[in-house]
Amino acid sequence: MLKNMDPNQYTEMVRGVMSGTMTPQHSLVQEGGTREEQIKRFNQAALECRSLSHSRSKATTTDFNKKARSRQMPLGDLETINISDLKEGKIHRGRVVFCSVVSDVMVMNSASVLVEDENDVLTPLAIYGLGDTGELRKGRSIAIKEPFFKVRADGTKGIRVDDPSDLVFDVKRAASTTSGKPVSSGEKVVSERLSAEARLEELVISDENISTNKLHKMMLGEGYNISRKQVRALKTSIFDQQSHSKKETPPSTGNPKLIAILSERRPEMHRMLSSPTVLKHREAGNDAFKCGKFKEAEASYTKALLHINDDGKSKEGVALWQLYGNRCAARMKLGMLDDAMQDSLASNMCAPADVVKPILRCAEALVALGLRKESDNLLDAALGTFLEEKRTIENKRQTLAPKQVLRVGPGEQFSSVADAVKFASPGAEVLVKPGIYKEPLVLSKSVTLRSTAVSDDYHAIRALEGENLNDWAEISVSGYNAISCFSGTVNIIGFRITCTGELSASYHSILTSHGVIAVVRNCSISSLSGPVVVAEHPNTKLIMHACAVHSGVQGGILVVDHASLTSRQVHCCQHAASGLELRTGGSAFIEGSHFYGNGRQGISLWKSSGCLTIKHSEIHSNTKESGACISEAKASFQSCQIYGNGGAGVVAQQKGNIELYKCDVHNNCEGVLIQDTGRGKVEKCNIFSNRANGIFVGFDQCRGSVTIVDNNVHDNFSRGILVGNDAHVVLRENKEQNNRGLPPQMPASPFGSFSPRQMPPKQFKRLKKNKGNIAKAFEEQSNQTFFGHIVENKAQEMSDNVVKTMEKLLKNCSFCEKSPSTGEEFKRCSRCRAAFYCSPKCQKLHWPQHKAHCTPKDVKYPAFLDSRTSV
């Protein structure tokens, strides 16, 4: 193929491939021709690629416009879609493509193959981040969850996968989908690949003498995420089941999620605990629960569960499943609904086969989280499994049923949502038809608001990603908070919520306060006034699932005054200020969420906020400032992707404490920055391709301890790990490779497009500290940077240029931005001495904007008059 190419075309193609701006599939793969011709062309291109020298050992990507991380849905919840039905530029939520590999593997920026579905339709598949390309052998079947079908740089179309966990290999299809007939889109998947337990049982039965190590390698090779310890335990339980006749697993019909809850029952995990410590704490928990001291009860049950592996010889005992069930009940009373759900699942897993109570606990937790339909389906499935407990199950169903059902919309009982809420009794459910409801809602009792228009669990996120979804029940309010929640347990499900008003008034789309427990699910929320969503006051608990919080003129989510947030699968993006802000005791647990495209930080913690724990989430494309800035607070990042931010990926300063574990941090300015009195621990992270240093412990860092252990730091523009002050730093087992050691890639001005009226508060504070002496202020700043420690002479020149440029800019008139003539100097503001004016008229006109910053004393950054105003 290449022999027939024009020499100049070939040269440009090779240069593009080696520079990373063009992938071989972009330049060599062409659409058209018969099936055999397409496969032949692709295989030839793959062969030519292997002949090109290339240093990448793993397919990677730095494209920030990639598909958001998959929601890890089981195949049983997805509907099939044909390759021919895929729409370009769309992420097909709730769908799965079944196909098989028909070509060789082409590896450059991505691992690419041709795949074919059962209707004999071919398309390229590009996979980024795949460590072992041997997975893509010819003839292997693949299920692609929620495929992203896009037009590539050469104009051809294909499927792009950014997270290899979106792929499921060697899938076993149901008989109805493997009969040789063309598969129709929309068909529900009846079965998926075997569970780890079932596959392990097959392997053990086929070879009873197989070793645990061999089993573990085989399971990993087939794509199962399982540890050697789990393999050993499951192998032992399989031998035990073969020697003792046990009950069969429940029938596999009905809702796959619910059957998963039933089938997770593992009687072999049932055990009695007889440790004196466990019994002591369990008894204390029971006594506290009976007295209504649920917080003490929850703490006692938690202490008991910490000692479940202790030995004990007491004649009395408590079942492990009962202990989890007790803590579930206490957490339900405390409004810790997500944690209660997890405890109910743990209780169910380790209960005996004939016990129904854990299933009832699961149903209670589902209803509390607004999943009434799922709860009813679970109880229906339980009726077929626990025949002798029919009366108990039906009684529980009646207990969990809504006290009252009210309907709102054209032709219904109510035309106004506010009227329905006012009429509703506590525990009622209000069903709202599609339409626009221009009325503020005040929820001061336990009630569920549910839109009848939205049936898809990810309707809001799909709409945010560009799908034209018009079926909404919309709460649109001007001049008031759209929804205010003050007491009880409130569920808000499936709405579009918008709020407009004066910026200074700071109205919110959702305000939760005074100890309310609010569950917001599948909602699209925005505000043109204040922060979009606010949680305030002690004991207020805000739980958000599958929501899009976007387009706020201030911040996205604000948690203050000891309130707490639990967020799963939430997109928080496109806000003028920070995506998520915690302060004054506000805390949050985040999982599977995305913070991107915000005007300031993706996440900001300051002013003695509570703890933040964030797992399996992405913080990216916050192009003006850092991905996450932690001050006077503690934050833990686990298995997160942090990339494409204008400042550092993560910053710890002013007594901020960060912990990063198994995170990918790339394409930021600094990767991880620890400065001032910040401290932190960075362990087993992959930190690469940042425009400055991978990890930078500042020269001004003091007092706080820093631990940097077992990280892979590579391909950064400056240093891999740069330690300015090593007095409190522990470095161990880190790998630094291919870091260039060059001056950081910085913009011409450290503040980007600069105007004196838009001076960042940090620089404003430094200027005041030096009493308006600009040269001194920025001399102090340059001493705290790393320029002189990388390339001393060039750095000094760069630093001098920055000082001169900033001094010239800052001495312009703060209102009209007029520059002083040579030898002339404008007069300053006599109060703060930080602003310059060419005339008294300009000073008077600028005062409304300047007065917020004009203060004779140092102000802690950032500071605001209104506690509900965003950073």
Side-chain angles (χ1 to χ4, degrees):
M1 177 186 291
L2 293 178
K3 293 177 182 178
N4 298 326
M5 294 179 64
D6 180 81
N8 293 331
Q9 182 184 0
Y10 176 79
T11 303
E12 291 301 319
M13 182 274 294
V14 172
R15 286 176 179 172
V17 167
M18 299 308 294
S19 65
T21 60
M22 179 188 297
T23 61
Q25 59 264 40
H26 289 158
S27 50
L28 299 177
V29 180
Q30 303 171 10
E31 291 183 326
T34 65
R35 173 183 182 277
E36 289 71 22
E37 289 173 346
Q38 291 184 60
I39 296 174
K40 183 178 179 181
R41 282 201 301 267
F42 195 97
N43 289 340
Q44 180 65 24
L47 179 63
E48 298 294 346
C49 285
R50 286 195 292 271
S51 68
L52 297 173
S53 60
H54 202 279
S55 61
R56 293 186 179 96
S57 60
K58 182 177 180 180
T60 60
T61 179
T62 57
D63 182 2
F64 302 151
N65 296 317
K66 63 182 184 178
K67 171 189 169 185
R69 178 170 292 198
S70 174
R71 296 165 286 167
Q72 302 301 323
M73 297 175 66
L75 288 181
D77 291 351
L78 303 175
E79 293 183 355
T80 59
I81 186 170
N82 299 332
I83 291 176
S84 58
D85 293 328
L86 296 175
K87 297 180 181 179
E88 64 181 65
K90 178 179 176 181
I91 300 171
H92 296 77
R93 294 293 188 193
R95 298 300 188 94
V96 59
V97 169
F98 289 95
C99 54
S100 58
V101 180
V102 296
S103 71
D104 296 335
V105 184
M106 182 191 307
V107 180
M108 289 295 283
N109 288 333
S110 64
S112 298
V113 291
L114 277 182
V115 294
E116 181 181 55
D117 66 8
E118 294 189 356
N119 295 335
D120 299 328
V121 179
L122 289 172
T123 193
L125 168 65
I127 307 168
Y128 292 84
L130 184 67
D132 182 10
T133 58
E135 296 277 359
L136 301 174
R137 58 181 179 269
K138 278 187 185 179
R140 194 170 193 188
S141 61
I142 305 176
I144 308 171
K145 296 181 179 181
E146 301 188 335
F148 179 25
F149 193 65
K150 68 185 293 286
V151 178
R152 305 185 302 177
D154 64 346
T156 61
K157 301 172 184 177
I159 299 174
R160 171 178 176 137
V161 174
D162 290 288
D163 187 351
S165 65
D166 288 349
L167 304 177
V168 181
F169 293 98
D170 302 327
V171 180
K172 292 195 174 183
R173 300 288 305 282
S176 62
T177 62
T178 57
S179 59
K181 299 178 181 179
V183 181
S184 61
S185 293
E187 176 187 1
K188 197 71 174 180
V189 180
V190 180
S191 63
E192 53 185 280
R193 76 168 177 177
L194 295 176
S195 65
E197 294 84 352
R199 179 57 180 152
L200 198 65
E201 186 173 4
E202 280 188 353
L203 295 174
V204 170
I205 292 174
S206 63
D207 183 4
E208 293 185 356
N209 296 321
I210 190 170
S211 67
T212 299
N213 287 339
K214 187 174 181 180
L215 271 176
H216 183 235
K217 289 180 180 179
M218 291 176 69
M219 294 291 286
L220 292 179
E222 294 182 13
Y224 290 96
N225 184 13
I226 189 170
S227 67
R228 186 178 286 104
K229 184 177 180 181
Q230 289 173 315
V231 170
R232 186 182 299 111
L234 289 172
K235 181 181 175 185
T236 302
S237 68
I238 290 169
F239 283 129
D240 291 341
Q241 289 178 12
Q242 289 177 342
S243 59
H244 301 87
S245 60
K246 296 209 176 215
K247 288 190 176 184
E248 297 181 356
T249 56
S252 58
T253 58
N255 189 316
K257 285 183 181 178
L258 307 175
I259 295 306
I261 292 177
L262 292 173
S263 62
E264 281 179 357
R265 181 70 60 86
R266 298 180 187 173
E268 71 275 6
M269 295 181 64
H270 169 60
R271 58 192 177 110
M272 299 297 295
L273 308 175
S274 56
S275 164
T277 305
V278 171
L279 296 177
K280 171 187 172 183
H281 289 305
R282 187 247 187 173
E283 191 63 31
N286 289 347
D287 292 340
F289 192 95
K290 292 174 183 176
C291 297
K293 300 177 181 179
F294 303 118
K295 191 170 184 178
E296 293 181 15
E298 191 270 342
S300 296
Y301 294 137
T302 299
K303 290 177 182 177
L305 286 167
L306 293 175
H307 296 274
I308 59 176
N309 294 319
D310 293 358
D311 294 330
K313 299 181 180 179
S314 175
K315 294 181 180 179
E316 297 181 4
V318 57
L320 178 59
W321 71 268
Q322 289 178 324
L323 203 53
Y324 276 115
N326 290 346
R327 189 170 69 170
C328 171
R331 287 179 165 178
M332 288 286 289
K333 294 289 187 181
L334 291 171
M336 302 168 64
L337 305 183
D338 260 4
D339 294 327
M341 185 76 236
Q342 299 304 316
D343 278 345
S344 68
L345 294 174
S347 176
N348 173 69
M349 183 178 292
C350 59
D354 57 348
V355 175
V356 72
K357 192 170 183 179
I359 297 295
L360 305 183
R361 294 278 192 208
C362 291
E364 290 176 7
L366 287 169
V367 168
L369 289 170
L371 300 172
R372 187 173 299 281
K373 181 179 178 181
E374 288 78 359
S375 175
D376 289 340
N377 291 339
L378 176 60
L379 294 177
D380 288 340
L383 281 173
T385 305
F386 303 95
L387 300 176
E388 67 283 0
E389 299 288 352
K390 181 177 179 179
R391 176 172 292 182
T392 303
I393 295 171
E394 290 296 347
N395 289 340
K396 178 57 68 174
R397 189 197 302 275
Q398 293 178 10
T399 303
L400 297 177
K403 304 297 185 247
Q404 188 180 19
V405 177
L406 305 176
R407 298 183 181 275
V408 179
E412 297 294 351
Q413 182 182 3
F414 296 92
S415 60
S416 164
V417 181
D419 290 345
V421 169
K422 184 177 180 181
F423 184 81
S425 59
E429 185 160 329
V430 179
L431 304 179
V432 184
K433 282 188 173 182
I436 299 177
Y437 301 87
K438 296 184 177 182
E439 49 187 342
L441 302 179
V442 178
L443 308 180
S444 56
K445 53 191 168 186
S446 296
V447 67
T448 296
L449 299 182
R450 189 187 305 273
S451 167
T452 61
V454 177
S455 57
D456 179 4
D457 287 344
Y458 293 91
H459 199 82
I461 294 175
R462 287 169 52 209
L464 180 66
E465 291 173 346
E467 293 192 35
N468 188 16
L469 304 174
N470 295 319
D471 293 334
W472 283 102
E474 181 173 346
I475 308 295
S476 181
V477 178
S478 178
Y480 299 93
N481 296 325
I483 301 179
S484 302
C485 310
F486 294 124
S487 66
T489 300
V490 174
N491 287 275
I492 304 169
I493 304 167
F495 289 87
R496 175 185 282 164
I497 307 169
T498 60
C499 175
T500 60
E502 292 293 333
L503 189 64
S504 58
S506 195
Y507 296 118
H508 319 296
S509 288
I510 297 180
L511 170 65
T512 58
S513 64
H514 294 84
V516 72
I517 301 167
V519 179
V520 183
R521 181 182 296 275
N522 201 7
C523 289
S524 176
I525 317 168
S526 60
S527 172
L528 295 179
S529 182
V532 180
V533 179
V534 172
E536 62 181 9
H537 297 159
N539 300 320
T540 296
K541 295 177 177 62
L542 173 61
I543 301 170
M544 304 187 74
H545 285 244
C547 291
V549 183
H550 61 97
S551 308
V553 295
Q554 290 195 39
I557 304 173
L558 175 62
V559 185
V560 296
D561 196 15
H562 301 280
S564 67
L565 166 71
T566 299
S567 165
R568 284 188 168 90
Q569 295 293 344
V570 170
H571 286 236
C572 189
C573 59
Q574 302 164 7
H575 303 289
S578 301
L580 168 66
E581 181 185 346
L582 307 182
R583 62 179 188 239
T584 57
S587 61
F589 175 85
I590 312 293
E591 187 171 20
S593 296
H594 305 259
F595 301 87
Y596 58 93
N598 297 292
R600 300 197 69 173
Q601 299 92 353
I603 297 175
S604 175
L605 278 67
W606 65 288
K607 203 174 181 183
S608 303
S609 77
C611 293
L612 167 70
T613 300
I614 179 167
K615 301 179 178 180
H616 308 291
S617 297
E618 294 191 5
I619 307 170
H620 67 91
S621 306
N622 302 287
T623 55
K624 292 186 179 179
E625 296 198 21
S626 304
C629 183
I630 314 301
S631 303
E632 301 180 44
K634 181 177 181 180
S636 172
F637 300 81
Q638 301 175 28
S639 302
C640 292
Q641 301 277 339
I642 305 169
Y643 59 91
N645 298 290
V650 182
V651 179
Q653 61 184 16
Q654 298 176 11
K655 299 182 181 179
N657 185 4
I658 59 173
E659 292 182 1
L660 278 78
Y661 182 74
K662 290 187 176 180
C663 294
D664 287 346
V665 185
H666 60 93
N667 294 96
N668 307 285
C669 185
E670 302 283 356
V672 179
L673 173 62
I674 303 174
Q675 62 183 5
D676 192 49
T677 54
R679 55 195 176 116
K681 182 177 182 181
V682 185
E683 183 177 4
K684 296 184 177 180
C685 292
N686 189 22
I687 303 174
F688 61 97
S689 300
N690 295 287
R691 299 187 301 278
N693 304 290
I695 302 175
F696 179 28
V697 181
F699 296 103
D700 62 343
Q701 196 276 336
C702 59
R703 289 181 289 180
S705 61
V706 179
T707 303
I708 304 172
V709 178
D710 196 16
N711 298 286
N712 185 14
V713 188
H714 60 94
D715 297 305
N716 297 287
F717 199 77
S718 297
R719 301 281 187 88
I721 301 175
L722 176 59
V723 179
N725 181 0
D726 60 0
H728 307 280
V729 179
V730 176
L731 296 171
R732 188 171 66 247
E733 300 175 6
N734 297 290
K735 297 178 182 177
E736 297 184 66
Q737 298 176 337
N738 302 326
N739 298 292
R740 299 186 186 182
L742 298 174
Q745 292 180 317
M746 303 289 285
S749 164
F751 307 139
S753 179
F754 177 82
S755 167
R757 287 177 288 173
Q758 300 170 339
M759 188 194 306
K762 190 171 183 180
Q763 279 67 38
F764 184 82
K765 177 181 176 181
R766 183 178 290 112
L767 192 61
K768 289 197 302 176
K769 178 181 176 183
N770 289 276
K771 298 182 179 179
N773 188 322
I774 297 171
K776 234 184 199 184
F778 287 92
E779 179 183 353
E780 176 186 344
Q781 181 185 15
S782 65
N783 289 339
Q784 295 177 357
T785 65
F786 40 80
F787 291 153
H789 299 266
I790 301 175
V791 279
E792 185 173 357
N793 296 332
K794 184 66 178 175
Q796 186 60 48
E797 181 183 344
M798 291 169 63
S799 180
D800 291 344
N801 290 337
V802 169
V803 170
K804 290 177 182 178
T805 301
M806 293 306 303
E807 183 168 0
K808 184 177 179 181
L809 285 171
L810 288 170
K811 287 189 176 181
N812 292 347
C813 177
S814 296
F815 181 73
C816 67
E817 301 186 17
K818 176 182 176 182
S819 300
S821 58
T822 304
E824 181 186 11
E825 182 174 328
F826 291 151
K827 292 186 178 181
R828 311 172 187 233
C829 171
S830 60
R831 191 163 184 248
C832 68
R833 299 188 60 78
F836 290 79
Y837 298 102
C838 62
S839 67
K841 181 180 178 181
C842 281
Q843 182 180 18
K844 185 176 181 180
L845 291 173
H846 189 232
W847 175 245
Q849 292 81 32
H850 178 57
K851 65 181 178 181
H853 300 288
C854 186
T855 174
K857 61 181 181 180
D858 287 341
V859 180
K860 202 159 197 174
Y861 166 76
F864 302 92
L865 297 176
D866 186 350
S867 63
R868 295 183 190 167
T869 301
S870 297
V871 170

